[in-house]
Amino acid sequence: MHLIKLSAAAALATTLALSMAMSGEAHAQAAAGPVKVGFMLPYTGTYASLGNMIEAGFKLYVQEQGGKLGGREIQYFKVDDESEPSKATDNVNKLIKRDQVDVLVGTVHSGVALGMAKAAKESNTLMIVPNAGADAITGPLCSPNIVRSSFSNWQPGYSTGVVVAQKGHKRAMTITWNYAAGSETVKGFTEAFEKAGGKVVKDLNLPFPNVEFQALLTEIAAQKPDAVFAFFAGGGAVKFVKDYAAAGLNKTIPLYGSGFLTDGTLEAQGAAAQGLQTTLHYADNLDTPRNNAFRKSFALAYKANADVYAVQGYDAAQILAAGLTAVKGDLTKREALTTAMHKTTVDSPRGKFTLSAAGNPVQDMYLREAKGPNNEFKSIAVKALADPARGCKL
Ligand code: PHB
């Protein structure tokens, strides 16, 4: 009896030891396995090309590192968010809960990104925003596990306001889609423009992603402001710039915009966009070894010209690489990982930049002019512009 008891205990001990060894092994395997990256991006609709360029840029950087970051293979998952805020929570949970990704990379649309950021915060999932400028992400929603490789909506708006005032314009009208990116960009523009003595006489808007601009263009023609400031992007930007020219307004009222108005769109806009001046944190022809090498590598890999979205995707991968390298691929070292991501200096094709405490790029904003297929650098509109990060408490 005693003997049997002993051997049962021994058997139990052996089973326990075995299962512990196995779970240890499984753990080691998981640690050595791929880092799961979940792209949540628009692959359909007016922002589809933006989503594709971000993914292409991200993958290019990973490829250039031999497919590994911090010694770990990268495995990709993707969800088309359709730039649809009402589906954001369901869509992001496909990546967080179903696919159990380690890092979320997304998205383009500010409204969708706000939903993602809330889910990332609640589930403590790492998130890198490769475009969406929603001010709140590096404002009230700021978090150690969220960083942005792009901009806040305030930044390009503000820097265009500086430029339009410098050109001597006094009365401006604004036009945009009625959602966070549009209203926040216009707010940044108005802040800088009015601080410099200008006056925004009227704000026009229409629902995203509508492109029925005619009535609004008629109103611009009637009001005759000195200048118009617009935020549109992707397919909508193509249509707006063409309609503005078709209405003859390009001959009478200068049009300015944050650079999304002409980025990744010049071919489709044709003559209508030529000469347009915009501000953004990137210009195609920045003549630096870093930008030249990036553009060459991108063109070789994809037979297409890089744009700002490709740069932001590429830099999202660089930020992740900084974190993973610091912890040698060990995702359990979360604090060291997020600290390294926040503290990195990104050697970007746009020029080197750092991240603010809130996790948003502190970056030079360029005045550019559309010439042929490029948004060409003209000057630095605002040097090392930092988002005010209103409402961020870390
Ligand atoms: C945004 O929704 O934040 C947004 C979308 C497209 C852009 C820029 C910002 O090009």
Side-chain angles (χ1 to χ4, degrees):
M1 187 71 184
H2 194 65
L3 253 180
I4 292 170
K5 253 194 184 164
L6 254 185
S7 70
L12 186 66
T14 314
T15 315
L16 268 177
L18 249 176
S19 78
M20 276 170 72
M22 273 174 60
S23 80
E25 196 177 296
H27 196 82
Q29 259 175 16
V35 171
K36 294 175 161 190
V37 170
F39 290 121
M40 178 153 149
L41 292 167
Y43 294 106
T44 53
T46 202
Y47 288 160
S49 78
L50 288 62
N52 284 312
M53 290 303 262
I54 288 166
E55 181 181 332
F58 191 101
K59 287 183 165 169
L60 179 65
Y61 183 75
V62 174
Q63 264 168 35
E64 288 174 357
Q65 311 312 304
K68 287 186 180 179
L69 302 181
R72 304 273 301 272
E73 299 278 349
I74 303 296
Q75 184 181 9
Y76 297 109
F77 296 81
K78 56 199 260 190
V79 165
D80 177 9
D81 68 37
E82 304 168 44
S83 296
E84 181 47 69
S86 69
K87 297 184 185 167
T89 308
D90 281 350
N91 278 330
V92 75
N93 279 328
K94 289 180 193 160
L95 294 168
I96 296 174
K97 296 193 174 145
R98 183 192 65 194
D99 302 331
Q100 305 207 324
V101 300
D102 300 303
V103 192
L104 291 166
V105 175
T107 187
V108 167
H109 184 287
S110 276
V112 179
L114 288 168
M116 283 183 80
K118 283 183 195 126
K121 237 183 135 160
E122 275 161 24
S123 61
N124 197 29
T125 309
L126 275 181
M127 174 171 171
I128 307 176
V129 183
N131 184 72
D135 290 343
I137 289 177
T138 49
L141 284 173
C142 72
S143 161
N145 59 302
I146 302 179
V147 295
R148 184 145 56 186
S149 64
S150 51
F151 58 91
S152 73
N153 288 324
W154 179 89
Q155 286 177 310
Y158 185 90
S159 52
T160 316
V162 169
V163 164
V164 175
Q166 273 169 1
K167 301 237 178 223
H169 301 304
K170 297 288 179 223
R171 293 171 63 252
M173 278 174 86
T174 71
I175 180 165
T176 188
W177 280 312
N178 187 10
Y179 82 104
S183 55
E184 291 172 358
T185 309
V186 163
K187 225 168 142 191
F189 171 82
T190 306
E191 183 182 330
F193 186 61
E194 297 200 336
K195 198 158 77 181
K199 177 84 193 131
V200 171
V201 294
K202 189 145 202 191
D203 295 318
L204 302 175
N205 52 59
L206 71 171
F208 174 87
N210 287 10
V211 289
E212 303 310 322
F213 300 118
Q214 223 45 56
L216 302 176
L217 294 175
T218 304
E219 199 169 341
I220 292 172
Q223 294 262 354
K224 298 192 181 59
D226 300 336
V228 168
F229 170 77
F231 166 84
F232 293 107
V238 172
K239 173 89 169 25
F240 179 75
V241 166
K242 285 181 136 181
D243 285 5
Y244 196 88
L249 287 171
N250 59 338
K251 302 272 188 304
T252 53
I253 306 170
L255 173 64
Y256 298 91
S258 51
F260 310 113
L261 195 62
T262 56
D263 222 278
T265 55
L266 285 176
E267 203 181 314
Q269 287 163 330
Q274 293 299 301
L276 282 186
Q277 293 195 358
T278 60
T279 70
L280 205 61
H281 46 283
Y282 184 60
D284 296 310
N285 69 332
L286 290 176
D287 191 15
T288 60
R290 188 71 179 108
N291 189 44
N292 291 336
F294 163 75
R295 292 191 74 85
K296 201 168 154 192
S297 171
F298 191 93
L300 211 69
Y302 301 110
K303 316 272 171 283
N305 286 327
D307 60 15
V308 71
Y309 308 105
V311 171
Q312 294 169 172
Y314 190 81
D315 292 344
Q318 297 212 66
I319 293 172
L320 179 60
L324 287 174
T325 304
V327 297
K328 299 197 171 59
D330 184 352
L331 285 165
T332 63
K333 296 190 173 139
R334 173 59 81 89
E335 209 186 313
L337 176 83
T338 54
T339 302
M341 286 170 69
H342 275 81
K343 295 261 179 267
T344 185
T345 296
V346 183
D347 190 8
S348 170
R350 77 188 83 170
K352 287 194 172 134
F353 71 87
T354 54
L355 296 173
S356 66
N360 193 65
V362 177
Q363 56 195 342
D364 294 347
M365 303 300 297
Y366 306 122
L367 174 63
R368 314 107 47 88
E369 182 170 323
K371 240 187 190 169
N374 288 331
N375 286 290
E376 289 194 353
F377 172 87
K378 277 188 78 74
S379 61
I380 295 180
V382 187
K383 185 123 193 82
L385 184 62
D387 179 85
R390 294 169 183 132
C392 169
K393 290 186 193 72
L394 280 174

